C-alpha cells in the first residue's frame, strides 16, 4: 500500500511539474505582464534568495538558451543576458535594473561552478616532496605556527607539535591533497593570533585533570582531544563537501557580490575551524575516539543553518573578530 501511495504521489507531482505549473506560469505572465525571471528579480532582494530561484528557473526551463546560461563562460555572461532579454521580448531601456540583477546572479552561478572546479583541482593535486613550491608552503606553515622553534629536519617528530600524525606531514595530505595545506597556511598567515590560540588550546591538558608539568612529560595525545593540523584537514574535507553538494551556495551567494572566489572559500574554512573548536569544547568528548560523532553532529548543524536562504556564515569576515572560547 505504501508503494502504491508513493507511486500515485509521484505521478501527480509529475503532472503538476509537467503541465499545471507551466500552465500556471503562462497565466501569471499574462496577468502580470512579466515573465518568471522578471518576477523573481523584482520580488527578491539580491543574494541567495534571488539567485537560487533564478538558477532553478533556468535549469528547469524547456528553452535551450536558458538552460545553457548556467554553464556559460564568465566573459559571455553579458551577451547571454542580452540574448535572454531578447528572447523574453524585454526592452532593456525600460527595464535597466533587470539586466543588472540578472547579470549579478548569473555571475554568482557560473562563479560557483568555476570555484568548485578550482577547489577540486587543488584537492586532486597530491603533495609532492620533490616540488619546491609544496615544500616551501609546508615550511612556511611551520614558521607561522612555531616561529621560535627551529625545525631540526624535514622528517621529524616535531611535526606532531602542530598536530600532524607522524614524522612526515605529506602522508596526512593524501585525502585532501594541496587543498588541506592551502587552507592551513591561509589560516596561519591571515589570522595568526587565532590559529596560534587554537593550536595552544588543543595542546592543553583536558580539564586540568593533571598537573601541567606532569602532563608535559607525557604524550601529546593526552591533550584537549584533537590535533590541530589533522582537524584542519578534516574541516577542509567538510568545507569541500558543503561546496560540492551545493549547500554552500546559500552562504556564498549572500557574501559574494558577483563571482565567489577561492578567497571566500578559505575564509569560510577559517570560520568553520573556529566554530568547530567552540563546538568541540561544548560537546566535551571524553577522548579523540568521539571525533567522528562530534564532526557529524557539527556538519548537521551547519547544514541546518544553510537551509535558511538569508544565511551568511560569516557576512563580513574578519577572523580576528570571531573570538574563541578562552580555555
Amino acid at each position: 500500500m505504501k508503494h502504491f501511495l508513493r507511486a500515485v504521489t509521484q505521478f501527480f507531482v509529475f503532472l503538476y511539474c509537467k503541465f499545471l505549473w507551466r500552465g500556471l506560469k503562462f497565466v501569471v505572465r499574462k496577468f502580470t505582464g512579466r515573465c518568471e525571471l522578471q518576477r523573481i528579480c523584482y520580488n527578491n532582494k539580491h543574494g541567495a534568495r534571488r539567485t537560487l530561484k533564478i538558477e532553478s528557473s533556468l535549469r528547469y526551463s524547456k528553452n535551450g538558451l536558458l538552460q545553457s546560461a548556467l554553464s556559460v563562460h564568465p566573459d559571455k555572461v553579458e551577451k547571454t543576458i542580452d540574448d535572454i532579454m531578447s528572447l523574453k521580448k524585454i526592452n532593456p531601456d525600460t527595464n535597466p535594473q533587470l539586466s543588472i540583477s540578472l547579470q549579478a546572479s548569473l555571475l554568482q552561478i557560473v562563479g560557483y561552478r568555476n570555484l568548485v572546479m578550482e577547489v577540486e583541482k587543488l584537492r586532486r593535486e597530491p603533495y609532492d616532496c620533490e616540488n619546491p613550491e609544496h615544500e616551501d608552503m609546508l615550511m612556511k606553515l611551520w614558521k607561522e605556527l612555531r616561529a621560535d622553534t627551529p625545525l631540526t629536519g624535514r622528517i621529524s617528530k616535531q611535526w606532531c607539535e602542530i598536530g600532524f600524525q607522524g614524522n612526515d606531514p605529506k602522508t596526512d595530505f593524501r585525502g585532501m591533497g594541496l587543498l588541506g595545506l592551502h587552507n592551513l597556511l591561509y589560516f596561519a598567515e591571515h589570522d595568526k593570533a587565532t590559529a596560534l590560540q587554537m593550536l595552544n588550546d588543543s595542546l592543553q591538558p583536558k580539564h586540568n585533570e593533571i598537573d601541567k608539568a606532569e602532563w608535559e612529560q607525557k604524550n601529546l595525545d593526552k591533550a584537549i582531544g584533537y590535533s590541530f593540523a589533522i582537524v584542519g584537514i578534516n574541516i577542509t574535507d567538510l568545507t569541500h563537501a558543503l561546496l560540492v553538494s551545493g549547500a554552500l551556495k546559500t552562504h556564498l551567494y549572500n557574501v559574494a557580490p558577483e563571482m565567489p572566489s577561492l578567497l571566500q572559500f578559505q575564509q569560510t574554512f577559517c570560520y568553520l575551524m573556529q566554530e568547530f573548536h567552540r563546538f568541540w569544547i561544548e560537546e566535551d568528548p571524553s577522548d579523540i575516539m568521539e571525533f567522528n560523532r562530534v564532526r557529524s553532529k557539527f556538519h548537521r548543524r551547519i547544514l541546518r543553518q544553510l537551509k535558511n536562504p538569508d544565511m551568511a556564515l560569516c557576512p563580513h569576515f574578519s577572523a580576528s573578530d570571531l573570538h574563541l572560547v578562552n580555555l
Side-chain angles (χ1 to χ4, degrees), residues 31-63:
F31 181 74
T32 64
R34 293 176 175 176
C35 69
E36 184 178 36
L37 291 175
Q38 285 177 295
R39 296 194 301 273
I40 292 172
C41 288
Y42 292 143
N43 296 334
N44 297 274
K45 65 180 182 180
H46 177 65
R49 194 175 285 274
R50 177 197 290 170
T51 300
L52 287 171
K53 289 181 179 180
I54 288 176
E55 190 171 10
S56 177
S57 177
L58 295 175
R59 176 171 288 112
Y60 295 110
S61 172
K62 291 193 298 181
N63 186 278

Side-chain angles (χ1 to χ4, degrees), residues 22 25 35-37 40 50-72 77 80-81 84-85 87-88 102-103 105-107 109-110:
R22 298 191 187 281
K25 284 169 60 177
C35 69
E36 184 178 36
L37 291 175
I40 292 172
R50 177 197 290 170
T51 300
L52 287 171
K53 289 181 179 180
I54 288 176
E55 190 171 10
S56 177
S57 177
L58 295 175
R59 176 171 288 112
Y60 295 110
S61 172
K62 291 193 298 181
N63 186 278
L65 170 64
L66 298 182
Q67 289 181 348
S68 65
L70 295 174
S71 56
V72 73
V77 165
T80 301
I81 297 302
I84 291 174
M85 298 281 280
L87 175 70
K88 295 293 184 179
L102 282 174
Q103 183 170 328
S105 290
L106 192 54
L107 281 171
I109 293 167
V110 300

Side-chain angles (χ1 to χ4, degrees), residues 14-240:
F14 170 78
L15 287 179
Y16 175 77
C17 295
K18 189 72 175 176
F19 303 107
L20 296 179
W21 173 240
R22 298 191 187 281
L24 181 61
K25 284 169 60 177
F26 176 79
V27 171
V28 172
R29 171 155 192 175
K30 289 297 181 182
F31 181 74
T32 64
R34 293 176 175 176
C35 69
E36 184 178 36
L37 291 175
Q38 285 177 295
R39 296 194 301 273
I40 292 172
C41 288
Y42 292 143
N43 296 334
N44 297 274
K45 65 180 182 180
H46 177 65
R49 194 175 285 274
R50 177 197 290 170
T51 300
L52 287 171
K53 289 181 179 180
I54 288 176
E55 190 171 10
S56 177
S57 177
L58 295 175
R59 176 171 288 112
Y60 295 110
S61 172
K62 291 193 298 181
N63 186 278
L65 170 64
L66 298 182
Q67 289 181 348
S68 65
L70 295 174
S71 56
V72 73
H73 190 277
D75 293 342
K76 303 291 184 182
V77 165
E78 191 171 350
K79 182 182 183 304
T80 301
I81 297 302
D82 291 340
D83 292 342
I84 291 174
M85 298 281 280
S86 175
L87 175 70
K88 295 293 184 179
K89 298 181 172 60
I90 301 170
N91 187 341
D93 295 329
T94 57
N95 297 270
Q97 188 58 44
L98 178 63
S99 61
I100 295 173
S101 299
L102 282 174
Q103 183 170 328
S105 290
L106 192 54
L107 281 171
Q108 287 184 320
I109 293 167
V110 300
Y112 190 95
R113 183 201 66 205
N114 290 349
L115 176 60
V116 171
M117 292 190 292
E118 184 179 5
V119 166
E120 192 63 18
K121 182 180 178 181
L122 284 173
R123 187 190 70 83
R124 289 176 180 273
E125 184 173 357
Y127 183 91
D128 181 5
C129 57
E130 300 297 324
N131 188 317
E133 292 183 6
H134 296 187
E135 288 287 287
D136 184 54
M137 288 176 63
L138 186 59
M139 292 303 111
K140 282 182 180 177
L141 180 63
W142 174 266
K143 289 175 183 176
E144 292 292 338
L145 298 175
R146 279 286 184 262
D148 299 328
T149 307
L151 192 63
T152 57
R154 169 61 180 79
I155 308 298
S156 170
K157 187 66 176 175
Q158 284 179 286
W159 290 111
C160 296
E161 295 177 20
I162 60 174
F164 287 104
Q165 289 181 321
N167 297 343
D168 190 352
K170 76 172 186 180
T171 58
D172 294 324
F173 291 122
R174 282 175 298 190
M176 285 287 107
L178 276 191
L179 184 62
L181 179 55
H182 271 275
N183 280 352
L184 282 169
L185 184 57
Y186 180 89
F187 189 26
E189 287 183 332
H190 290 82
D191 197 20
K192 188 171 183 175
T194 307
L196 288 174
Q197 183 184 335
M198 283 185 62
L199 175 61
N200 182 64
D201 289 347
S202 71
L203 297 176
Q204 299 305 311
K206 188 171 172 27
H207 299 312
N208 294 320
E209 289 170 350
I210 59 176
D211 179 76
K212 187 169 183 178
E214 178 188 350
W215 170 80
E216 286 176 345
Q217 297 175 358
K218 298 189 176 183
N219 196 303
L220 288 175
D221 290 340
K222 300 297 183 183
I224 193 172
Y226 69 74
S227 300
F228 177 81
I230 296 302
V231 166
I233 294 170
N234 265 277
I235 298 303
T236 292
D237 177 58
L238 187 150
T239 314
H240 169 265

